[in-house]
Amino acid sequence: MTRPSDTPADPTATTATTDAAAVTGSLRARARRAPGTAGPAADGPTGDGTTADRATGDGPGGGRPGGGRPGGGRPGWGARFLAPVADRGNSLHPGAWWLWALGLAVAASRTTNPLLLGLIIGVAGYVVAARRTDAPWARSYGAFVKLGLFVVALRIVFSVALGSPIPGAHELFTLPELPLPGWAQGIRIGGRVTAEQVLFALYDGLKLATLLICVGAANALANPARLLKSLPGALYEAGVAVVVAMTFAPNLVADVVRLRTARRLRGRPTGGVRAVLRIGLPVLEGALERSVAVAASMDARGYGRTAQVPPAVRRTTNVLTLGGLLGVCAGSYGLLAAQGAGYGLPLLAAGLLAAVAGLRLGGRRSVRTRYRPDRFGPRSCLVAASGIAVAVLMIRANAYAPEALHPGVVPLVAPELPLWPALSVLPGLLPAVIAPVPPAREEPPA
């Protein structure tokens, strides 16, 4: 009797087995690389945390907070509701990010308390870190943070060099004072510098820096091209100019990173005045070329064509739009002012209604169509509502805690963190929980 081990191996069978294994491995690899693809890597109970497992949340290290059920399978209802993986169907409306950021900016404009301003900056930074993508415009947030720090430093330098009307008893040092003519009365250069005026300048500069950081958060999270597509037809020409301008800053940051990396690889210094001067011109040239290319591509696709409308409709549109925008500006100023909350809200509401009516009429001039327009879904509404809630709660806090929101500097006292105004900022963290998670970057094959 011949044992199985003594039987000569069939080379044809061995080749067929090898080919079948290779095909099976290729199919499994494709299933892992394609997010949401059905197959052993996505649906089987042996999820190994690959790209498919992270994209669907099925693996142990799923791409959403909380992951899926241990051992694979479909994710639980809570994980799917809180943070789904972002795709074209569930992505947030770009206007929702801007409404959220503008709500935080309004809240920052209502206080000079550095602790509350720092809390608003922390909320905006956490949401950006949790939900920004790898797109070029998402890298501009750091530039806005640096710009905010520069504004704070510049505000303090101006206060020290040009003086301040804030009285103070704690003198830090005295600068040589330059004599000025009589027509420049009220202005001084140099002189006595007190701790009170420096602290007041710090509070004032920090508020402006917080506003810039909130705008930077919106710029890092919202897709400018999709924002242009969502604009009303009446604002479409202005929207083209705004989007071209908005693409300038992200491209500027991307070019700076690329050129600094190239200089570092060549062994050349990346810091100092000479390096900045050699990097500056190529950076400006590249950012301008990309912005002009975006404008040219829009023009080639038919942007700028308008339809004929009756003169009466055109005049009515201009009156409603201009009057509505003036009402929005006056109402916004009233809400931002200390004593204007009474008339600011009615003016803002009336201006918004008039502006919307004017924009609806002006939209008749636009002959363009929209392919797969973005919808303001439930998640977008919640994100926008969280920012508006922060603004409303902070405006309300000015009525019952004005001293806590605007700490004095004379006499010199340390600011305190008020409980309820601080809790009013926390709804701004909601987008970090309900906004779709950006898809994980695919790792290169080994």
Side-chain angles (χ1 to χ4, degrees):
M1 183 178 64
T2 305
R3 293 179 298 177
S5 57
D6 297 334
T7 306
D10 187 0
T12 305
T14 304
T15 305
T17 304
T18 305
D19 294 340
V23 171
T24 303
S26 176
L27 292 176
R28 288 179 178 175
R30 291 181 182 178
R32 292 191 186 100
R33 287 195 297 267
T37 303
D43 298 331
T46 58
D48 55 359
T50 57
T51 303
D53 293 328
R54 287 194 300 269
T56 57
D58 293 343
R64 63 186 68 169
R69 294 179 299 191
R74 294 183 178 180
W77 178 86
R80 185 166 60 251
F81 175 77
L82 291 179
V85 178
D87 55 25
R88 185 60 182 83
N90 64 2
S91 58
L92 289 183
H93 194 283
W97 286 122
W98 275 100
L99 289 175
W100 166 79
L102 291 178
L104 294 183
V106 170
S109 67
R110 306 295 296 181
T111 179
T112 56
N113 191 320
L115 301 179
L116 289 176
L117 293 175
L119 185 60
I120 293 174
I121 293 174
V123 168
Y126 180 78
V127 174
V128 170
R131 291 299 181 265
R132 72 173 174 180
T133 62
D134 295 328
W137 59 82
R139 304 172 189 172
S140 60
Y141 180 73
F144 279 92
V145 174
K146 295 177 182 178
L147 180 60
L149 296 177
F150 174 75
V151 166
V152 173
L154 189 64
R155 180 65 179 86
I156 294 177
V157 169
F158 279 174
S159 176
V160 170
L162 303 179
S164 175
I166 302 298
H170 299 79
E171 181 177 350
L172 298 178
F173 52 88
T174 302
L175 295 175
E177 186 172 357
L178 298 178
L180 297 177
W183 54 266
Q185 187 176 4
I187 302 176
R188 69 178 179 88
I189 300 178
R192 182 168 169 264
V193 179
T194 62
E196 286 83 356
Q197 79 177 67
V198 173
L199 192 61
F200 178 80
L202 175 64
Y203 291 174
D204 198 27
L206 187 59
K207 181 168 70 172
L208 182 56
T210 306
L211 297 178
L212 290 173
I213 290 174
C214 292
V215 173
N219 196 24
L221 294 170
N223 188 333
R226 291 177 53 203
L227 184 63
L228 170 65
K229 190 175 68 172
S230 303
L231 285 178
L235 296 179
Y236 136 86
E237 290 91 351
V240 173
V242 170
V243 169
V244 171
M246 287 174 58
T247 56
F248 180 82
N251 289 332
L252 192 72
V253 175
D255 286 342
V256 168
V257 174
R258 178 175 55 83
L259 290 175
R260 285 172 60 91
T261 303
R263 289 182 63 87
R264 191 180 299 111
L265 291 175
R266 293 186 179 97
R268 298 176 182 177
T270 58
V273 178
R274 295 184 59 185
V276 171
L277 293 178
R278 295 192 176 186
I279 291 176
L281 185 59
V283 164
L284 291 176
E285 182 181 358
L288 284 174
E289 285 181 354
R290 292 186 183 181
S291 298
V292 171
V294 171
S297 64
M298 290 179 177
D299 183 67
R301 288 173 173 84
Y303 282 84
R305 294 178 298 170
T306 57
Q308 295 294 330
V309 293
V313 175
R314 189 163 55 248
R315 286 193 292 268
T316 305
T317 300
N318 295 335
V319 171
L320 287 176
T321 304
L322 182 59
L325 293 179
L326 289 176
V328 169
C329 293
S332 301
Y333 178 78
L335 289 177
L336 296 177
Q339 291 86 16
Y343 68 85
L345 190 58
L347 269 179
L348 181 62
L352 284 175
L353 290 177
V356 168
L359 294 177
R360 293 283 296 180
L361 286 177
R364 298 181 180 181
R365 297 175 58 243
S366 178
V367 295
R368 66 191 180 106
T369 59
R370 296 179 181 177
Y371 174 68
R372 299 175 66 182
D374 292 314
R375 304 294 182 185
F376 234 92
R379 295 183 188 276
S380 300
C381 293
L382 288 175
V383 169
S386 65
I388 296 174
V390 173
V392 171
L393 292 175
M394 193 62 69
I395 292 173
R396 181 69 182 86
N398 276 267
Y400 62 83
E403 296 84 4
L405 267 64
H406 303 278
V409 295
V410 181
L412 195 63
V413 294
E416 298 180 357
L417 181 63
L419 177 60
W420 292 111
L423 294 178
S424 302
V425 182
L426 297 183
L429 292 171
L430 187 62
V433 179
I434 65 172
V437 181
R441 285 179 295 182
E442 183 177 345
E443 299 177 1

